[in-house]
Amino acid sequence: MGTEGENVRVIAGRYRLEERIGRGGMGLVWRAADQLLGRQVAVKELVLDPSLSAEEARLQRERTLREARAVAQLRHPHIIVVHDVVEDDERPYIVMELIDGGSLAERIAGRGPVDAREAARIGIDLLGALRRAHGAGVLHRDLKPANVLMEAGTDRVVLTDFGIAQVAGATTLTESGSFVGSPEYTAPERMSGERTGPESDLWSLGALLCAVLSGESPFRRDSLGGILHAVVVDEIRPPVQAQPILPVVRGLLERDPERRLDAAEAERLLREFLDTGRTPRAPVAYTPTQRDVPRRAVPPPEVPEAPTPPAALASRSSRHSARGVLIAAALVAAMAGAGVSAAALLMREGGNGSRTPASSGPSSPSASPSRPSAPGATVTVTRPPTTVPASATSRTVPSGYRLTHDPDRFSLAVPDGFTRSPQGERIFYMSPGETFRIGIKMSDPEPGGPLAVMRRSDADGPANNPGYHDGRVTETSHNGNPAALWEFTWNGFTAAEGPRHTYDLCWEEGDRMYDVWVSAPVGKEQESKEYFDVAVGTFVPG
């Protein structure tokens, strides 16, 4: 039984609760003295709601015990250590190591955001903690600045409050219909009620990195409905302070968990930034094999598909957004007291909005540098392409793409919703908003072949592409023909959109030279790489 003094309580005959130092995950946290071992500890006390039924109170106690079991099995310098679990007056307590120092949230509130190097250090430490937890089958599910402690004097990063942790095979509170977690830091797949995995914690880390760099989550809004809409639908805009590690932030904040940056790669990129001071990028080399075609490929359809109208949503990402509107609306409708109706939430759906007039893609071999169209200019689309059955070629067309027979006598698979835009000697297929640009150019062979052409383009890169950097030309082959792959990053068309990354393959086939490239904003390399591999893998001249 607990004993009472004038200002203290002793629980389990051993731990003297001295001072309340915080609250986390349905409990109060106390600074306490372990009278047996003579050391200071932190004790988390489950606070029971007196209005709960006996069954509900039992579920709360089980949750606390689950937290203790989940964390006690983990040993890592950046994960809180659990010393003991005790019960006193039918109330459970978790005894943990005491970290002198406040939370990361308190640090940001008191001292302001951190710089990119400190954010990278924090990110690396948390990635190590998450990798250890995930390796043991434990998901945190509530990663946010308030649940990260910063040890005074050493700045050691410590992940704590596994209060809603999920252990593999255990029943979770969400399965009984209650949503747990912090919406600003919750992955969209968790919002939708789908079965979640380690990728959901990595999304939360991406939001956390934005918060420590700018002072707030990119999904902060004035209402719960606004937050839900931002997480599952709105365009994600990382803060400008995230630019030095933008590929990591964008990779972690990828809505499709299958495309999300994994922990090992995120850690590698952050370490690269700390080592070099340069913005890292994830090089994904082109490998001219059928394996590059995404696993989602399906057998060719038996009949032609109708051309997708320009207003159609593009690619899997846009389809996720459309579905996300329904998810957000359903969540808001289900959460009583949110103050936002589902109808109002749906009214906010507007996509990414309009952008500047069409501009050409990145500079390609033997082509003069392109310039954005003048304001108000129109792009004439001549001889609209027709869609033909996938069986017209031996190439497999993945789900979400359509095989297009272009009027300029070539065919390739492009994502649903992409529209044709010829610009001089180059043909573009662009996503709505022109975020993704697939470019095609056909020409006569040039001296030295594709490798020489790409090397000349690389040498001319700074003149043709403002802010050109990280250019790399690799000799390869395509369909048994000489080829060269050129990758580079540049400043992009507008400051608002930011820098872009390009994959460009040039090869000779027959008596012609072909050039196929994909350009996309930095941070969207994974999706861009898929578009590139499919375009190259399904391209057929003639």
Side-chain angles (χ1 to χ4, degrees), residues 10 30 43 50 99 127 205 264 288 300 323 355 398 411 430 441-442 478:
V10 177
W30 298 83
V43 175
I99 304 296
L127 282 165
L205 178 61
R323 179 169 175 262
R355 291 179 181 256
S411 63
M430 300 186 183
K441 177 176 177 288
M442 298 172 290
H478 179 64

mmCIF file of all heavy atoms in Angstrom, residues 10 30 43 50 99 127 205 264 288 300 323 355 398 411 430 441-442 478:
data_model
loop_
_atom_site.group_PDB
_atom_site.id
_atom_site.type_symbol
_atom_site.label_atom_id
_atom_site.label_comp_id
_atom_site.label_asym_id
_atom_site.label_seq_id
_atom_site.Cartn_x
_atom_site.Cartn_y
_atom_site.Cartn_z
ATOM 1 N N VAL A 10 4.834 7.232 -0.857
ATOM 2 C CA VAL A 10 5.724 6.117 -1.132
ATOM 3 C C VAL A 10 4.868 4.988 -1.674
ATOM 4 O O VAL A 10 3.898 4.566 -1.038
ATOM 5 C CB VAL A 10 6.482 5.664 0.126
ATOM 6 C CG1 VAL A 10 7.344 4.441 -0.194
ATOM 7 C CG2 VAL A 10 7.345 6.801 0.669
ATOM 8 N N TRP A 30 6.417 11.552 -12.336
ATOM 9 C CA TRP A 30 6.963 12.071 -11.090
ATOM 10 C C TRP A 30 8.479 11.876 -11.040
ATOM 11 O O TRP A 30 8.994 10.865 -11.513
ATOM 12 C CB TRP A 30 6.367 11.335 -9.877
ATOM 13 C CG TRP A 30 4.884 11.480 -9.703
ATOM 14 C CD1 TRP A 30 3.905 10.767 -10.325
ATOM 15 C CD2 TRP A 30 4.216 12.393 -8.840
ATOM 16 N NE1 TRP A 30 2.665 11.163 -9.920
ATOM 17 C CE2 TRP A 30 2.819 12.159 -8.988
ATOM 18 C CE3 TRP A 30 4.646 13.370 -7.936
ATOM 19 C CZ2 TRP A 30 1.862 12.877 -8.282
ATOM 20 C CZ3 TRP A 30 3.691 14.074 -7.227
ATOM 21 C CH2 TRP A 30 2.316 13.839 -7.399
ATOM 22 N N VAL A 43 8.829 8.116 -12.327
ATOM 23 C CA VAL A 43 7.729 7.180 -12.142
ATOM 24 C C VAL A 43 6.512 7.707 -12.883
ATOM 25 O O VAL A 43 6.081 8.845 -12.668
ATOM 26 C CB VAL A 43 7.395 6.980 -10.650
ATOM 27 C CG1 VAL A 43 6.154 6.102 -10.504
ATOM 28 C CG2 VAL A 43 8.579 6.364 -9.913
ATOM 29 N N PRO A 50 -12.441 8.659 -13.035
ATOM 30 C CA PRO A 50 -13.441 8.056 -12.143
ATOM 31 C C PRO A 50 -14.747 7.713 -12.829
ATOM 32 O O PRO A 50 -15.540 6.917 -12.305
ATOM 33 C CB PRO A 50 -13.648 9.134 -11.078
ATOM 34 C CG PRO A 50 -13.181 10.400 -11.696
ATOM 35 C CD PRO A 50 -12.083 10.024 -12.620
ATOM 36 N N ILE A 99 15.645 11.365 -16.742
ATOM 37 C CA ILE A 99 16.436 12.195 -17.658
ATOM 38 C C ILE A 99 16.339 13.640 -17.182
ATOM 39 O O ILE A 99 15.252 14.225 -17.191
ATOM 40 C CB ILE A 99 15.922 12.084 -19.111
ATOM 41 C CG1 ILE A 99 15.917 10.624 -19.568
ATOM 42 C CG2 ILE A 99 16.754 12.952 -20.046
ATOM 43 C CD1 ILE A 99 17.275 9.996 -19.641
ATOM 44 N N LEU A 127 16.173 7.782 -35.478
ATOM 45 C CA LEU A 127 16.120 6.671 -36.426
ATOM 46 C C LEU A 127 16.754 5.424 -35.826
ATOM 47 O O LEU A 127 16.260 4.312 -36.005
ATOM 48 C CB LEU A 127 16.830 7.054 -37.729
ATOM 49 C CG LEU A 127 16.031 7.959 -38.669
ATOM 50 C CD1 LEU A 127 16.942 8.574 -39.723
ATOM 51 C CD2 LEU A 127 14.906 7.183 -39.343
ATOM 52 N N LEU A 205 8.286 10.985 -37.915
ATOM 53 C CA LEU A 205 9.617 11.580 -37.813
ATOM 54 C C LEU A 205 9.782 12.708 -38.826
ATOM 55 O O LEU A 205 10.399 13.736 -38.524
ATOM 56 C CB LEU A 205 10.686 10.509 -38.025
ATOM 57 C CG LEU A 205 12.128 11.008 -38.003
ATOM 58 C CD1 LEU A 205 12.471 11.640 -36.653
ATOM 59 C CD2 LEU A 205 13.109 9.890 -38.327
ATOM 60 N N ALA A 264 16.878 3.067 -42.843
ATOM 61 C CA ALA A 264 18.297 2.947 -43.168
ATOM 62 C C ALA A 264 18.725 4.013 -44.169
ATOM 63 O O ALA A 264 19.782 4.642 -44.016
ATOM 64 C CB ALA A 264 18.586 1.548 -43.719
ATOM 65 N N PRO A 288 18.898 -1.267 -66.833
ATOM 66 C CA PRO A 288 18.073 -1.606 -67.996
ATOM 67 C C PRO A 288 17.660 -3.066 -68.004
ATOM 68 O O PRO A 288 18.092 -3.854 -68.825
ATOM 69 C CB PRO A 288 18.994 -1.280 -69.175
ATOM 70 C CG PRO A 288 20.369 -1.513 -68.623
ATOM 71 C CD PRO A 288 20.311 -1.109 -67.178
ATOM 72 N N PRO A 300 -1.478 -7.127 -69.772
ATOM 73 C CA PRO A 300 -2.055 -6.129 -70.671
ATOM 74 C C PRO A 300 -3.556 -6.296 -70.784
ATOM 75 O O PRO A 300 -4.072 -7.416 -70.784
ATOM 76 C CB PRO A 300 -1.358 -6.412 -72.016
ATOM 77 C CG PRO A 300 -0.119 -7.171 -71.662
ATOM 78 C CD PRO A 300 -0.457 -7.944 -70.430
ATOM 79 N N ARG A 323 -9.017 9.795 -52.454
ATOM 80 C CA ARG A 323 -9.490 8.900 -51.405
ATOM 81 C C ARG A 323 -9.329 9.551 -50.039
ATOM 82 O O ARG A 323 -10.139 9.370 -49.133
ATOM 83 C CB ARG A 323 -8.683 7.600 -51.464
ATOM 84 C CG ARG A 323 -9.068 6.584 -50.408
ATOM 85 C CD ARG A 323 -8.397 5.253 -50.737
ATOM 86 N NE ARG A 323 -8.634 4.282 -49.701
ATOM 87 C CZ ARG A 323 -7.771 4.012 -48.741
ATOM 88 N NH1 ARG A 323 -6.628 4.670 -48.684
ATOM 89 N NH2 ARG A 323 -8.037 3.098 -47.825
ATOM 90 N N ARG A 355 -0.880 26.646 -61.621
ATOM 91 C CA ARG A 355 0.531 26.992 -61.609
ATOM 92 C C ARG A 355 0.831 27.900 -62.790
ATOM 93 O O ARG A 355 -0.044 28.256 -63.556
ATOM 94 C CB ARG A 355 1.398 25.713 -61.696
ATOM 95 C CG ARG A 355 1.319 24.849 -60.432
ATOM 96 C CD ARG A 355 2.160 23.614 -60.603
ATOM 97 N NE ARG A 355 2.073 22.787 -59.410
ATOM 98 C CZ ARG A 355 3.024 22.707 -58.496
ATOM 99 N NH1 ARG A 355 4.121 23.415 -58.614
ATOM 100 N NH2 ARG A 355 2.887 21.928 -57.439
ATOM 101 N N PRO A 398 2.114 -1.159 -66.623
ATOM 102 C CA PRO A 398 1.709 -1.291 -65.219
ATOM 103 C C PRO A 398 0.330 -0.707 -64.968
ATOM 104 O O PRO A 398 -0.167 0.131 -65.717
ATOM 105 C CB PRO A 398 2.784 -0.492 -64.469
ATOM 106 C CG PRO A 398 3.917 -0.346 -65.434
ATOM 107 C CD PRO A 398 3.290 -0.311 -66.788
ATOM 108 N N SER A 411 5.728 4.913 -79.267
ATOM 109 C CA SER A 411 4.736 4.599 -78.241
ATOM 110 C C SER A 411 5.451 4.382 -76.920
ATOM 111 O O SER A 411 6.624 3.997 -76.887
ATOM 112 C CB SER A 411 3.931 3.349 -78.616
ATOM 113 O OG SER A 411 4.773 2.211 -78.688
ATOM 114 N N MET A 430 2.876 15.596 -69.413
ATOM 115 C CA MET A 430 2.947 16.275 -68.125
ATOM 116 C C MET A 430 1.782 15.898 -67.228
ATOM 117 O O MET A 430 0.659 15.710 -67.682
ATOM 118 C CB MET A 430 2.962 17.794 -68.325
ATOM 119 C CG MET A 430 4.119 18.311 -69.146
ATOM 120 S SD MET A 430 4.132 20.122 -69.181
ATOM 121 C CE MET A 430 5.526 20.416 -70.274
ATOM 122 N N LYS A 441 12.823 13.012 -77.085
ATOM 123 C CA LYS A 441 13.444 13.701 -78.219
ATOM 124 C C LYS A 441 14.075 12.655 -79.122
ATOM 125 O O LYS A 441 14.719 11.714 -78.646
ATOM 126 C CB LYS A 441 14.495 14.692 -77.737
ATOM 127 C CG LYS A 441 15.241 15.409 -78.853
ATOM 128 C CD LYS A 441 16.182 16.444 -78.265
ATOM 129 C CE LYS A 441 17.007 17.143 -79.344
ATOM 130 N NZ LYS A 441 18.043 16.247 -79.911
ATOM 131 N N MET A 442 13.854 12.798 -80.435
ATOM 132 C CA MET A 442 14.449 11.908 -81.423
ATOM 133 C C MET A 442 15.289 12.739 -82.376
ATOM 134 O O MET A 442 14.876 13.821 -82.796
ATOM 135 C CB MET A 442 13.348 11.161 -82.179
ATOM 136 C CG MET A 442 12.494 10.264 -81.274
ATOM 137 S SD MET A 442 11.060 9.566 -82.126
ATOM 138 C CE MET A 442 10.059 11.058 -82.341
ATOM 139 N N HIS A 478 20.977 -0.065 -73.475
ATOM 140 C CA HIS A 478 19.515 -0.167 -73.496
ATOM 141 C C HIS A 478 19.116 -1.014 -74.689
ATOM 142 O O HIS A 478 19.459 -0.697 -75.840
ATOM 143 C CB HIS A 478 18.886 1.227 -73.595
ATOM 144 C CG HIS A 478 17.385 1.196 -73.634
ATOM 145 N ND1 HIS A 478 16.625 0.733 -72.596
ATOM 146 C CD2 HIS A 478 16.505 1.542 -74.615
ATOM 147 C CE1 HIS A 478 15.347 0.814 -72.903
ATOM 148 N NE2 HIS A 478 15.249 1.309 -74.133
#
